[in-house]
Amino acid sequence: AISADGQTIGVTSPRGGLLQMFAAASPAFSGHRGLLDVGGIAPSDDGFIATSGLGILARLNGAKTEQRQVDGLAFDNHVVPV
């Protein structure tokens, strides 16, 4: 996914449990976050929204990550902004 401002590319690796970020202009590696079974990723107003097969919904904003467990749900690798 490409961030809303077009500056960052987000890529998920479900088996590795990582979300990697790259600068869109270079594309230099700019960081990563650990999130078990992460698959879905979509741009948000200020970063990315990511989902996992374990029912985790995460909001990534710069260096900050907020995670929420959604009991009874599991996400696949598709997230579509609405």
Side-chain angles (χ1 to χ4, degrees):
I2 300 173
S3 63
D5 65 5
Q7 300 295 310
T8 307
I9 298 168
V11 180
T12 61
S13 300
R15 290 187 183 193
L18 288 175
L19 184 145
Q20 301 95 45
M21 291 159 284
F22 300 86
S26 32
F29 179 75
S30 60
H32 72 280
R33 302 286 197 295
L35 182 59
L36 292 176
D37 199 28
V38 63
I41 184 170
S44 68
D45 291 341
D46 56 357
F48 293 103
I49 298 291
T51 58
S52 85
L54 303 175
I56 298 170
L57 182 63
R59 181 180 183 99
L60 298 97
N61 172 357
K64 185 177 176 183
T65 302
E66 299 173 32
Q67 293 185 20
R68 178 184 211 182
Q69 179 73 42
V70 184
D71 294 329
L73 290 180
F75 300 99
D76 69 0
N77 60 344
H78 300 91
V79 177
V80 179
V82 181

